[in-house]
Amino acid sequence: MSKTAKVLNALISGKELTSKQIAARYNVGNPGRVVHYLREQGYMINLNSRVDSKGRVTNKYSLA
C-alpha cells in the first residue's frame, strides 16, 4: 500500500492529522504534496484550526 493510500485510509476512518503526524506516521517527506494530490483526485480535505487551553493553534487535516 502506498503512503498516499495510507494517509487517505486514515482520513476516511475519521482521523484528524497534522502535517507532522502525517510525516512521522506514514514516512511522508512532504505532507502538503500528499494532501494536494488527494485534493486533485477529488477528495474534499479540510484544514481545521484548533486552539488549546494555552492558546496554541494546531492545524489538522480531515476528510469532509
Side-chain angles (χ1 to χ4, degrees):
M1 182 180 290
S2 72
K3 295 175 185 180
T4 304
K6 290 178 183 179
V7 172
L8 179 59
N9 285 338
L11 293 172
I12 288 173
S13 70
K15 293 183 181 175
E16 291 185 335
L17 301 168
T18 65
S19 291
K20 287 184 180 181
Q21 288 172 328
I22 292 171
R25 291 181 188 177
Y26 306 105
N27 197 25
V28 174
N30 189 344
R33 177 178 277 177
V34 171
V35 171
H36 179 73
Y37 175 76
L38 290 172
R39 285 176 174 159
E40 284 183 338
Q41 298 303 311
Y43 294 99
M44 295 189 61
I45 299 174
N46 296 328
L47 182 61
N48 304 310
S49 296
R50 305 274 192 250
V51 180
D52 67 9
S53 61
K54 295 184 180 181
R56 295 177 293 207
V57 177
T58 304
N59 295 312
K60 294 189 174 189
Y61 292 105
S62 65
L63 194 61

Short mmCIF file of all heavy atoms in Angstrom, two decimals:
data_model
loop_
_atom_site.label_atom_id
_atom_site.label_comp_id
_atom_site.label_asym_id
_atom_site.label_seq_id
_atom_site.Cartn_x
_atom_site.Cartn_y
_atom_site.Cartn_z
N MET A 1 0.85 -1.17 0.00
CA MET A 1 0.00 0.00 0.00
C MET A 1 0.90 1.24 0.00
O MET A 1 1.86 1.32 0.75
CB MET A 1 -0.91 -0.03 1.24
CG MET A 1 -1.86 1.13 1.30
SD MET A 1 -2.94 1.13 2.74
CE MET A 1 -4.00 -0.23 2.39
N SER A 2 0.55 2.21 -0.84
CA SER A 2 1.37 3.42 -0.95
C SER A 2 1.16 4.34 0.26
O SER A 2 0.18 4.21 1.00
CB SER A 2 1.02 4.18 -2.22
OG SER A 2 -0.26 4.78 -2.10
N LYS A 3 2.06 5.27 0.43
CA LYS A 3 1.97 6.23 1.53
C LYS A 3 0.72 7.08 1.38
O LYS A 3 0.03 7.36 2.37
CB LYS A 3 3.21 7.11 1.57
CG LYS A 3 4.47 6.35 1.87
CD LYS A 3 5.69 7.24 1.76
CE LYS A 3 6.96 6.44 1.96
NZ LYS A 3 8.15 7.28 1.85
N THR A 4 0.42 7.47 0.16
CA THR A 4 -0.77 8.28 -0.09
C THR A 4 -2.03 7.51 0.28
O THR A 4 -2.94 8.06 0.89
CB THR A 4 -0.82 8.70 -1.58
OG1 THR A 4 0.38 9.39 -1.89
CG2 THR A 4 -2.01 9.59 -1.86
N ALA A 5 -2.08 6.24 -0.05
CA ALA A 5 -3.24 5.40 0.28
C ALA A 5 -3.38 5.24 1.79
O ALA A 5 -4.50 5.25 2.32
CB ALA A 5 -3.12 4.05 -0.38
N LYS A 6 -2.27 5.14 2.49
CA LYS A 6 -2.33 5.02 3.95
C LYS A 6 -2.87 6.29 4.58
O LYS A 6 -3.69 6.23 5.50
CB LYS A 6 -0.94 4.70 4.51
CG LYS A 6 -0.47 3.30 4.19
CD LYS A 6 0.91 3.05 4.72
CE LYS A 6 1.42 1.67 4.35
NZ LYS A 6 2.77 1.41 4.85
N VAL A 7 -2.44 7.44 4.08
CA VAL A 7 -2.96 8.71 4.59
C VAL A 7 -4.45 8.82 4.29
O VAL A 7 -5.24 9.20 5.16
CB VAL A 7 -2.18 9.91 3.99
CG1 VAL A 7 -2.84 11.23 4.36
CG2 VAL A 7 -0.73 9.89 4.44
N LEU A 8 -4.85 8.47 3.09
CA LEU A 8 -6.26 8.52 2.71
C LEU A 8 -7.09 7.60 3.59
O LEU A 8 -8.17 8.00 4.07
CB LEU A 8 -6.43 8.15 1.24
CG LEU A 8 -7.86 8.13 0.73
CD1 LEU A 8 -8.52 9.49 0.89
CD2 LEU A 8 -7.90 7.68 -0.72
N ASN A 9 -6.63 6.39 3.84
CA ASN A 9 -7.37 5.46 4.69
C ASN A 9 -7.53 6.01 6.11
O ASN A 9 -8.59 5.84 6.73
CB ASN A 9 -6.69 4.09 4.73
CG ASN A 9 -6.92 3.31 3.46
OD1 ASN A 9 -7.87 3.56 2.73
ND2 ASN A 9 -6.03 2.37 3.17
N ALA A 10 -6.50 6.67 6.62
CA ALA A 10 -6.59 7.26 7.95
C ALA A 10 -7.64 8.36 7.97
O ALA A 10 -8.45 8.45 8.90
CB ALA A 10 -5.23 7.79 8.39
N LEU A 11 -7.65 9.20 6.95
CA LEU A 11 -8.63 10.28 6.88
C LEU A 11 -10.05 9.73 6.70
O LEU A 11 -11.00 10.24 7.30
CB LEU A 11 -8.28 11.25 5.76
CG LEU A 11 -7.00 12.05 5.95
CD1 LEU A 11 -6.66 12.82 4.68
CD2 LEU A 11 -7.10 13.00 7.13
N ILE A 12 -10.20 8.69 5.89
CA ILE A 12 -11.51 8.08 5.69
C ILE A 12 -12.04 7.48 6.99
O ILE A 12 -13.23 7.53 7.27
CB ILE A 12 -11.46 7.02 4.57
CG1 ILE A 12 -11.30 7.71 3.22
CG2 ILE A 12 -12.69 6.13 4.57
CD1 ILE A 12 -11.06 6.77 2.06
N SER A 13 -11.14 6.93 7.81
CA SER A 13 -11.57 6.33 9.07
C SER A 13 -11.93 7.37 10.13
O SER A 13 -12.34 7.02 11.22
CB SER A 13 -10.48 5.40 9.62
OG SER A 13 -9.37 6.15 10.06
N GLY A 14 -11.79 8.67 9.78
CA GLY A 14 -12.23 9.72 10.69
C GLY A 14 -11.13 10.40 11.48
O GLY A 14 -11.41 11.26 12.31
N LYS A 15 -9.90 10.04 11.24
CA LYS A 15 -8.79 10.65 11.97
C LYS A 15 -8.54 12.06 11.46
O LYS A 15 -8.73 12.35 10.29
CB LYS A 15 -7.52 9.82 11.83
CG LYS A 15 -7.60 8.49 12.51
CD LYS A 15 -6.30 7.75 12.39
CE LYS A 15 -6.44 6.39 13.08
NZ LYS A 15 -5.24 5.59 12.90
N GLU A 16 -8.11 12.92 12.38
CA GLU A 16 -7.63 14.25 12.03
C GLU A 16 -6.13 14.24 12.23
O GLU A 16 -5.65 13.82 13.28
CB GLU A 16 -8.26 15.32 12.91
CG GLU A 16 -9.74 15.51 12.67
CD GLU A 16 -10.30 16.66 13.50
OE1 GLU A 16 -9.72 16.98 14.56
OE2 GLU A 16 -11.30 17.23 13.09
N LEU A 17 -5.38 14.66 11.23
CA LEU A 17 -3.92 14.56 11.27
C LEU A 17 -3.27 15.90 11.00
O LEU A 17 -3.69 16.63 10.10
CB LEU A 17 -3.44 13.56 10.21
CG LEU A 17 -3.96 12.14 10.31
CD1 LEU A 17 -3.63 11.38 9.05
CD2 LEU A 17 -3.37 11.45 11.52
N THR A 18 -2.21 16.19 11.76
CA THR A 18 -1.39 17.36 11.47
C THR A 18 -0.35 16.97 10.43
O THR A 18 -0.14 15.80 10.14
CB THR A 18 -0.67 17.85 12.74
OG1 THR A 18 0.26 16.85 13.17
CG2 THR A 18 -1.65 18.18 13.86
N SER A 19 0.32 17.97 9.88
CA SER A 19 1.39 17.70 8.91
C SER A 19 2.50 16.87 9.55
O SER A 19 3.04 15.95 8.93
CB SER A 19 1.97 19.00 8.38
OG SER A 19 1.03 19.65 7.57
N LYS A 20 2.83 17.19 10.79
CA LYS A 20 3.88 16.44 11.49
C LYS A 20 3.48 14.99 11.70
O LYS A 20 4.31 14.09 11.58
CB LYS A 20 4.20 17.09 12.84
CG LYS A 20 4.96 18.38 12.71
CD LYS A 20 5.31 18.93 14.08
CE LYS A 20 6.08 20.22 13.97
NZ LYS A 20 6.46 20.76 15.28
N GLN A 21 2.21 14.75 12.02
CA GLN A 21 1.74 13.38 12.21
C GLN A 21 1.80 12.60 10.90
O GLN A 21 2.19 11.43 10.89
CB GLN A 21 0.31 13.37 12.76
CG GLN A 21 0.23 13.81 14.20
CD GLN A 21 -1.21 13.97 14.66
OE1 GLN A 21 -2.10 14.34 13.88
NE2 GLN A 21 -1.44 13.72 15.94
N ILE A 22 1.41 13.23 9.81
CA ILE A 22 1.47 12.56 8.51
C ILE A 22 2.91 12.21 8.17
O ILE A 22 3.20 11.09 7.73
CB ILE A 22 0.84 13.45 7.41
CG1 ILE A 22 -0.66 13.58 7.63
CG2 ILE A 22 1.13 12.88 6.02
CD1 ILE A 22 -1.35 14.59 6.73
N ALA A 23 3.82 13.14 8.41
CA ALA A 23 5.23 12.90 8.10
C ALA A 23 5.80 11.77 8.95
O ALA A 23 6.51 10.90 8.44
CB ALA A 23 6.03 14.18 8.32
N ALA A 24 5.50 11.76 10.25
CA ALA A 24 6.08 10.77 11.15
C ALA A 24 5.43 9.39 11.01
O ALA A 24 6.13 8.39 10.93
CB ALA A 24 5.95 11.26 12.59
N ARG A 25 4.11 9.33 10.99
CA ARG A 25 3.41 8.04 10.98
C ARG A 25 3.52 7.31 9.64
O ARG A 25 3.57 6.09 9.59
CB ARG A 25 1.94 8.23 11.30
CG ARG A 25 1.68 8.65 12.72
CD ARG A 25 0.21 8.79 12.97
NE ARG A 25 -0.04 9.38 14.29
CZ ARG A 25 -1.23 9.68 14.74
NH1 ARG A 25 -2.31 9.45 14.01
NH2 ARG A 25 -1.36 10.22 15.94
N TYR A 26 3.52 8.08 8.55
CA TYR A 26 3.45 7.46 7.24
C TYR A 26 4.72 7.69 6.42
O TYR A 26 4.74 7.39 5.23
CB TYR A 26 2.21 7.97 6.49
CG TYR A 26 0.96 7.75 7.31
CD1 TYR A 26 0.33 8.80 7.94
CD2 TYR A 26 0.45 6.47 7.49
CE1 TYR A 26 -0.79 8.61 8.73
CE2 TYR A 26 -0.67 6.26 8.27
CZ TYR A 26 -1.29 7.33 8.89
OH TYR A 26 -2.40 7.12 9.67
N ASN A 27 5.76 8.23 7.07
CA ASN A 27 7.07 8.44 6.45
C ASN A 27 6.96 9.24 5.15
O ASN A 27 7.52 8.89 4.12
CB ASN A 27 7.76 7.09 6.20
CG ASN A 27 9.24 7.25 5.95
OD1 ASN A 27 9.85 8.23 6.38
ND2 ASN A 27 9.81 6.30 5.25
N VAL A 28 6.20 10.34 5.22
CA VAL A 28 5.98 11.21 4.07
C VAL A 28 6.90 12.42 4.21
O VAL A 28 6.89 13.10 5.23
CB VAL A 28 4.51 11.67 4.01
CG1 VAL A 28 4.30 12.69 2.92
CG2 VAL A 28 3.60 10.47 3.81
N GLY A 29 7.68 12.68 3.17
CA GLY A 29 8.61 13.80 3.22
C GLY A 29 7.93 15.15 3.07
O GLY A 29 8.36 16.13 3.66
N ASN A 30 6.85 15.22 2.29
CA ASN A 30 6.16 16.47 2.04
C ASN A 30 4.65 16.24 2.21
O ASN A 30 3.95 15.95 1.24
CB ASN A 30 6.49 16.98 0.63
CG ASN A 30 5.98 18.37 0.38
OD1 ASN A 30 5.14 18.88 1.10
ND2 ASN A 30 6.48 18.98 -0.68
N PRO A 31 4.12 16.37 3.43
CA PRO A 31 2.70 16.12 3.66
C PRO A 31 1.77 17.01 2.84
O PRO A 31 0.72 16.56 2.39
CB PRO A 31 2.53 16.41 5.15
CG PRO A 31 3.88 16.27 5.73
CD PRO A 31 4.83 16.68 4.67
N GLY A 32 2.18 18.24 2.61
CA GLY A 32 1.35 19.15 1.81
C GLY A 32 1.15 18.65 0.39
O GLY A 32 0.08 18.81 -0.19
N ARG A 33 2.18 18.04 -0.16
CA ARG A 33 2.08 17.49 -1.52
C ARG A 33 1.09 16.33 -1.56
O ARG A 33 0.31 16.20 -2.51
CB ARG A 33 3.44 17.04 -2.01
CG ARG A 33 3.38 16.41 -3.38
CD ARG A 33 4.73 16.01 -3.86
NE ARG A 33 5.35 17.21 -4.43
CZ ARG A 33 6.57 17.26 -4.90
NH1 ARG A 33 7.34 16.19 -4.85
NH2 ARG A 33 7.05 18.35 -5.42
N VAL A 34 1.12 15.48 -0.54
CA VAL A 34 0.19 14.34 -0.47
C VAL A 34 -1.24 14.85 -0.39
O VAL A 34 -2.12 14.37 -1.10
CB VAL A 34 0.52 13.42 0.73
CG1 VAL A 34 -0.56 12.38 0.94
CG2 VAL A 34 1.86 12.76 0.52
N VAL A 35 -1.48 15.83 0.47
CA VAL A 35 -2.83 16.39 0.61
C VAL A 35 -3.25 17.06 -0.69
O VAL A 35 -4.40 16.89 -1.13
CB VAL A 35 -2.88 17.39 1.80
CG1 VAL A 35 -4.19 18.13 1.82
CG2 VAL A 35 -2.65 16.66 3.11
N HIS A 36 -2.36 17.78 -1.33
CA HIS A 36 -2.67 18.43 -2.60
C HIS A 36 -3.05 17.39 -3.67
O HIS A 36 -4.02 17.56 -4.41
CB HIS A 36 -1.47 19.27 -3.07
CG HIS A 36 -1.69 19.96 -4.37
ND1 HIS A 36 -2.51 21.05 -4.50
CD2 HIS A 36 -1.22 19.69 -5.62
CE1 HIS A 36 -2.51 21.44 -5.77
NE2 HIS A 36 -1.73 20.62 -6.47
N TYR A 37 -2.30 16.30 -3.72
CA TYR A 37 -2.59 15.22 -4.67
C TYR A 37 -3.98 14.63 -4.42
O TYR A 37 -4.75 14.40 -5.36
CB TYR A 37 -1.52 14.14 -4.59
CG TYR A 37 -1.82 12.94 -5.46
CD1 TYR A 37 -1.63 12.99 -6.84
CD2 TYR A 37 -2.32 11.77 -4.90
CE1 TYR A 37 -1.92 11.90 -7.64
CE2 TYR A 37 -2.61 10.68 -5.70
CZ TYR A 37 -2.42 10.75 -7.06
OH TYR A 37 -2.72 9.67 -7.85
N LEU A 38 -4.29 14.38 -3.15
CA LEU A 38 -5.60 13.81 -2.81
C LEU A 38 -6.73 14.78 -3.18
O LEU A 38 -7.78 14.36 -3.66
CB LEU A 38 -5.66 13.45 -1.33
CG LEU A 38 -4.80 12.27 -0.91
CD1 LEU A 38 -4.79 12.12 0.60
CD2 LEU A 38 -5.28 10.98 -1.57
N ARG A 39 -6.50 16.07 -2.97
CA ARG A 39 -7.50 17.06 -3.36
C ARG A 39 -7.69 17.06 -4.87
O ARG A 39 -8.82 17.20 -5.36
CB ARG A 39 -7.09 18.44 -2.87
CG ARG A 39 -7.29 18.63 -1.38
CD ARG A 39 -6.77 19.98 -0.93
NE ARG A 39 -7.09 20.22 0.47
CZ ARG A 39 -6.43 21.09 1.23
NH1 ARG A 39 -5.45 21.81 0.73
NH2 ARG A 39 -6.77 21.24 2.49
N GLU A 40 -6.60 16.92 -5.62
CA GLU A 40 -6.71 16.85 -7.08
C GLU A 40 -7.49 15.63 -7.53
O GLU A 40 -8.12 15.64 -8.59
CB GLU A 40 -5.32 16.84 -7.72
CG GLU A 40 -4.64 18.17 -7.75
CD GLU A 40 -3.30 18.12 -8.46
OE1 GLU A 40 -2.71 17.02 -8.58
OE2 GLU A 40 -2.85 19.19 -8.90
N GLN A 41 -7.44 14.55 -6.74
CA GLN A 41 -8.17 13.33 -7.07
C GLN A 41 -9.65 13.45 -6.73
O GLN A 41 -10.41 12.52 -7.00
CB GLN A 41 -7.56 12.14 -6.32
CG GLN A 41 -6.12 11.85 -6.69
CD GLN A 41 -5.95 11.59 -8.17
OE1 GLN A 41 -6.68 10.81 -8.76
NE2 GLN A 41 -5.00 12.28 -8.79
N GLY A 42 -10.05 14.56 -6.11
CA GLY A 42 -11.47 14.80 -5.84
C GLY A 42 -11.88 14.63 -4.39
O GLY A 42 -13.07 14.78 -4.09
N TYR A 43 -10.95 14.33 -3.51
CA TYR A 43 -11.29 14.19 -2.10
C TYR A 43 -11.35 15.57 -1.46
O TYR A 43 -10.48 16.42 -1.67
CB TYR A 43 -10.25 13.33 -1.37
CG TYR A 43 -10.24 11.91 -1.85
CD1 TYR A 43 -9.30 11.47 -2.78
CD2 TYR A 43 -11.20 11.01 -1.41
CE1 TYR A 43 -9.31 10.17 -3.24
CE2 TYR A 43 -11.21 9.70 -1.87
CZ TYR A 43 -10.27 9.29 -2.78
OH TYR A 43 -10.29 8.01 -3.23
N MET A 44 -12.40 15.81 -0.68
CA MET A 44 -12.57 17.09 -0.01
C MET A 44 -11.88 17.03 1.34
O MET A 44 -12.44 16.54 2.32
CB MET A 44 -14.04 17.43 0.13
CG MET A 44 -14.71 17.64 -1.21
SD MET A 44 -16.37 18.27 -1.09
CE MET A 44 -16.07 19.81 -0.27
N ILE A 45 -10.67 17.53 1.39
CA ILE A 45 -9.87 17.52 2.62
C ILE A 45 -9.82 18.94 3.16
O ILE A 45 -9.44 19.88 2.45
CB ILE A 45 -8.46 16.98 2.36
CG1 ILE A 45 -8.56 15.54 1.86
CG2 ILE A 45 -7.62 17.07 3.62
CD1 ILE A 45 -7.26 14.93 1.44
N ASN A 46 -10.24 19.09 4.40
CA ASN A 46 -10.26 20.39 5.06
C ASN A 46 -9.05 20.54 5.97
O ASN A 46 -8.54 19.56 6.50
CB ASN A 46 -11.52 20.54 5.91
CG ASN A 46 -12.78 20.51 5.09
OD1 ASN A 46 -12.79 20.95 3.95
ND2 ASN A 46 -13.84 19.98 5.66
N LEU A 47 -8.64 21.78 6.17
CA LEU A 47 -7.61 22.12 7.14
C LEU A 47 -8.29 22.93 8.23
O LEU A 47 -8.72 24.06 8.00
CB LEU A 47 -6.47 22.90 6.50
CG LEU A 47 -5.31 23.27 7.42
CD1 LEU A 47 -4.64 22.02 7.98
CD2 LEU A 47 -4.29 24.12 6.68
N ASN A 48 -8.43 22.33 9.40
CA ASN A 48 -9.13 22.96 10.52
C ASN A 48 -8.14 23.43 11.57
O ASN A 48 -7.21 22.71 11.91
CB ASN A 48 -10.11 21.97 11.14
CG ASN A 48 -11.09 21.42 10.13
OD1 ASN A 48 -11.71 22.18 9.41
ND2 ASN A 48 -11.20 20.11 10.06
N SER A 49 -8.37 24.62 12.10
CA SER A 49 -7.53 25.15 13.17
C SER A 49 -8.18 24.87 14.51
O SER A 49 -9.38 25.07 14.68
CB SER A 49 -7.34 26.66 13.01
OG SER A 49 -6.65 26.94 11.83
N ARG A 50 -7.37 24.43 15.46
CA ARG A 50 -7.83 24.17 16.82
C ARG A 50 -6.97 24.99 17.77
O ARG A 50 -5.77 25.08 17.60
CB ARG A 50 -7.68 22.69 17.17
CG ARG A 50 -8.35 21.73 16.23
CD ARG A 50 -9.79 21.52 16.62
NE ARG A 50 -10.36 20.40 15.89
CZ ARG A 50 -11.27 20.55 14.96
NH1 ARG A 50 -11.70 21.73 14.64
NH2 ARG A 50 -11.77 19.50 14.33
N VAL A 51 -7.59 25.56 18.79
CA VAL A 51 -6.86 26.31 19.81
C VAL A 51 -7.01 25.57 21.12
O VAL A 51 -8.13 25.28 21.56
CB VAL A 51 -7.42 27.75 19.94
CG1 VAL A 51 -6.65 28.52 21.00
CG2 VAL A 51 -7.35 28.46 18.60
N ASP A 52 -5.86 25.24 21.76
CA ASP A 52 -5.94 24.54 23.04
C ASP A 52 -6.08 25.55 24.19
O ASP A 52 -6.15 26.76 23.97
CB ASP A 52 -4.75 23.61 23.24
CG ASP A 52 -3.43 24.33 23.39
OD1 ASP A 52 -3.41 25.57 23.50
OD2 ASP A 52 -2.38 23.65 23.39
N SER A 53 -6.13 25.04 25.40
CA SER A 53 -6.37 25.90 26.57
C SER A 53 -5.23 26.87 26.84
O SER A 53 -5.41 27.86 27.54
CB SER A 53 -6.60 25.03 27.81
OG SER A 53 -5.46 24.23 28.05
N LYS A 54 -4.07 26.63 26.26
CA LYS A 54 -2.93 27.52 26.45
C LYS A 54 -2.79 28.52 25.30
O LYS A 54 -1.82 29.26 25.24
CB LYS A 54 -1.64 26.72 26.60
CG LYS A 54 -1.63 25.87 27.86
CD LYS A 54 -0.32 25.16 28.03
CE LYS A 54 -0.36 24.33 29.31
NZ LYS A 54 0.89 23.64 29.53
N GLY A 55 -3.73 28.51 24.38
CA GLY A 55 -3.73 29.45 23.28
C GLY A 55 -2.92 29.02 22.07
O GLY A 55 -2.75 29.79 21.13
N ARG A 56 -2.42 27.79 22.06
CA ARG A 56 -1.64 27.30 20.91
C ARG A 56 -2.59 26.84 19.81
O ARG A 56 -3.59 26.20 20.07
CB ARG A 56 -0.74 26.15 21.34
CG ARG A 56 0.33 26.58 22.34
CD ARG A 56 1.14 25.40 22.78
NE ARG A 56 0.28 24.51 23.55
CZ ARG A 56 0.72 23.68 24.50
NH1 ARG A 56 2.00 23.60 24.76
NH2 ARG A 56 -0.12 22.92 25.16
N VAL A 57 -2.23 27.17 18.59
CA VAL A 57 -3.05 26.81 17.44
C VAL A 57 -2.44 25.58 16.77
O VAL A 57 -1.25 25.52 16.51
CB VAL A 57 -3.12 27.98 16.43
CG1 VAL A 57 -3.92 27.58 15.20
CG2 VAL A 57 -3.71 29.20 17.09
N THR A 58 -3.30 24.60 16.48
CA THR A 58 -2.90 23.39 15.78
C THR A 58 -3.78 23.25 14.54
O THR A 58 -5.00 23.37 14.63
CB THR A 58 -3.08 22.15 16.67
OG1 THR A 58 -2.36 22.33 17.86
CG2 THR A 58 -2.59 20.90 15.98
N ASN A 59 -3.16 23.02 13.40
CA ASN A 59 -3.90 22.82 12.15
C ASN A 59 -3.95 21.33 11.85
O ASN A 59 -2.92 20.67 11.82
CB ASN A 59 -3.22 23.57 11.00
CG ASN A 59 -3.26 25.06 11.21
OD1 ASN A 59 -4.30 25.60 11.53
ND2 ASN A 59 -2.14 25.72 11.03
N LYS A 60 -5.17 20.83 11.62
CA LYS A 60 -5.35 19.40 11.35
C LYS A 60 -6.15 19.19 10.08
O LYS A 60 -7.12 19.89 9.82
CB LYS A 60 -6.08 18.74 12.53
CG LYS A 60 -5.28 18.73 13.80
CD LYS A 60 -5.95 17.88 14.85
CE LYS A 60 -5.05 17.76 16.07
NZ LYS A 60 -5.55 16.80 17.01
N TYR A 61 -5.71 18.20 9.31
CA TYR A 61 -6.43 17.81 8.09
C TYR A 61 -7.50 16.80 8.45
O TYR A 61 -7.28 15.91 9.28
CB TYR A 61 -5.47 17.17 7.08
CG TYR A 61 -4.46 18.13 6.51
CD1 TYR A 61 -3.14 18.09 6.92
CD2 TYR A 61 -4.81 19.06 5.53
CE1 TYR A 61 -2.21 18.96 6.38
CE2 TYR A 61 -3.88 19.92 5.00
CZ TYR A 61 -2.58 19.87 5.42
OH TYR A 61 -1.66 20.73 4.90
N SER A 62 -8.66 16.94 7.81
CA SER A 62 -9.74 15.96 7.97
C SER A 62 -10.48 15.83 6.65
O SER A 62 -10.41 16.71 5.80
CB SER A 62 -10.69 16.38 9.09
OG SER A 62 -11.35 17.57 8.73
N LEU A 63 -11.17 14.73 6.50
CA LEU A 63 -11.95 14.49 5.29
C LEU A 63 -13.36 15.01 5.52
O LEU A 63 -13.98 14.71 6.54
CB LEU A 63 -11.96 12.99 4.98
CG LEU A 63 -12.43 12.57 3.61
CD1 LEU A 63 -11.54 13.15 2.53
CD2 LEU A 63 -12.46 11.08 3.50
N ALA A 64 -13.84 15.80 4.58
CA ALA A 64 -15.19 16.38 4.70
C ALA A 64 -16.25 15.35 4.38
O ALA A 64 -16.06 14.44 3.66
CB ALA A 64 -15.32 17.57 3.79
#
